[in-house]
Amino acid sequence: MSVSLVPAQGLLGSLSMLRVEIGGPVVHLRLDRPDKRNAISDELVTQIQTAFVNLPRDARVAVVSGEGAHFCAGLDLNEVIEQDVAEGIAHSRRWHAAFDQIQFGPVPVIAVLQGAVVGGGLELAATAHLRVAETSAFFALPEGQRGIFVGGSGSARIPRLMGVSRMTDMMLTGRVFTAEQAEGFGLVNYVVPEGEGLAKALALARQVASNAAMSNYAVTQALPRIADMSASDGLFVESLMSAIAQGDDAAKQRVRAFLDKRAAKVRKS
Ligand code: 1HE
């Protein structure tokens, strides 16, 4: 069954740099500045935050992609030139607020990556819970070459996906990684042929949306937080979270269905 998407209405349909479509439980948000390679301006950051704060109540999963040949060229560099230090801090904090809303918002998020996934584009990709890369995707952090530093939460999120050492290499030397390399070290979850990223992400979205909402919530909200805790604190939170998930009716019904032989077994893919 494929997801058929229709343009969002109301606030979500009115955003000028973000095209939002909805298909049942799936919301697809597409960065829509292809002439600027989807570079993230102040306005686009605001629109990303607005969209994720205002997802429909019945949304169960979101897919984020970029229009054109590139996912995202990072920060709109036109906006760096005029900033003083205080403005720079405020600017970075706006990105943090918007990007936290993606990672710690109400639904799992899947990013579709092609072409440039660079600078703030990689920071944006790192907020997603799953990443699907087309073979054209390439990953870089040109901040080092531009005389700046990551400011969109990359220092906190990217090392957790690829390690401090790889990120250091990218920033000090301008090293660029391919989609296959990124898959090899766990930055991306799936690599697919050119033009097939969105279809793959929508297929994954359907699977994710069919899970019990509380399980998805535990995975997206508890798991990254537990990873930041001491093992002892993490195990305590794990016990609470697993008891909450198990206590939910959806869990009871799903476990009962398996025991009654009405649910699918786990199979090798
Ligand atoms: C931009 C930006 C941008 C393109 N800000 N305008 N990011 C970077 O350092 C990456 C800079 N961009 C590139 O290296 C290349 O543009 C790409 C590899 C992404 C794409 O190359 P290409 O040949 O397809 O496009 P292009 O001709 O370079 O760019 C097309 C237009 O987009 C052009 O504008 P035009 O008016 O001349 O048509 C470019 O100027 C414009 N453009 N990228 C502004 N980034 C929160 S901190 C995050 C810190 C960072 O993200 S730093 C990394 C910034």
Side-chain angles (χ1 to χ4, degrees), residues 1-268:
M1 192 186 60
S2 65
V3 177
S4 101
L5 297 161
V6 296
Q9 304 298 311
L11 178 61
L12 290 180
S14 70
L15 303 170
S16 58
M17 296 180 182
L18 208 52
R19 192 140 42 92
V20 184
E21 296 172 312
I22 299 176
V26 180
V27 181
H28 175 206
L29 307 102
R30 192 191 301 255
L31 308 181
D32 199 13
R33 284 189 92 196
D35 52 326
K36 296 293 178 193
R37 307 308 184 248
N38 299 317
I40 302 179
S41 60
D42 263 358
E43 180 55 32
L44 181 49
V45 174
T46 302
Q47 292 190 12
I48 290 170
Q49 185 169 14
T50 300
F52 276 91
V53 167
N54 292 283
L55 290 178
R57 281 272 175 90
D58 53 359
R60 298 289 303 282
V61 57
V63 172
V64 175
S65 70
E67 179 64 29
H70 300 279
F71 172 66
C72 177
L75 170 67
D76 187 325
L77 291 167
N78 291 299
E79 294 181 355
V80 178
I81 306 284
E82 304 300 332
Q83 280 173 3
D84 64 22
V85 171
E87 286 164 344
I89 293 171
H91 177 265
S92 168
R93 297 301 287 161
R94 283 196 294 277
W95 280 55
H96 292 170
F99 284 13
D100 267 5
Q101 195 58 41
I102 303 174
Q103 184 180 0
F104 296 113
V107 298
V109 178
I110 304 172
V112 181
L113 310 173
Q114 81 284 5
V117 185
V118 304
L122 179 52
E123 294 181 285
L124 173 60
T127 66
H129 303 99
L130 292 175
R131 279 157 291 279
V132 176
E134 297 187 352
T135 44
S136 65
F138 57 95
F139 302 84
L141 290 169
E143 283 86 343
Q145 287 68 56
R146 306 274 180 256
I148 55 180
F149 188 59
V150 284
S153 72
S155 61
R157 290 196 170 98
I158 296 171
R160 285 178 166 76
L161 299 172
M162 60 158 71
V164 172
S165 173
R166 281 194 193 88
M167 181 166 172
T168 303
D169 189 6
M170 290 170 90
M171 295 200 69
L172 289 181
T173 70
R175 185 164 182 181
V176 178
F177 287 112
T178 64
E180 287 77 9
Q181 287 173 313
E183 184 186 31
F185 54 67
L187 173 63
V188 305
N189 304 92
Y190 302 88
V191 176
V192 297
E194 222 30 46
E196 295 182 15
L198 183 58
K200 177 69 179 176
L202 291 174
L204 293 170
R206 278 200 308 280
Q207 262 177 275
V208 171
S210 72
N211 295 337
M214 192 54 76
S215 288
N216 283 349
Y217 193 75
V219 171
T220 59
Q221 307 299 312
L223 202 53
R225 289 184 166 95
I226 291 170
D228 284 344
M229 293 175 189
S230 67
S232 167
D233 290 344
L235 292 180
F236 179 69
V237 173
E238 179 187 273
S239 297
L240 299 181
M241 193 67 248
S242 72
I244 291 169
Q246 275 173 39
D248 199 56
D249 277 352
K252 296 189 189 313
Q253 286 166 20
R254 284 161 186 256
V255 172
R256 172 53 55 205
F258 177 78
L259 295 174
D260 292 347
K261 309 209 179 301
R262 288 181 284 114
K265 293 185 189 183
V266 177
R267 300 275 187 214
K268 267 202 295 191

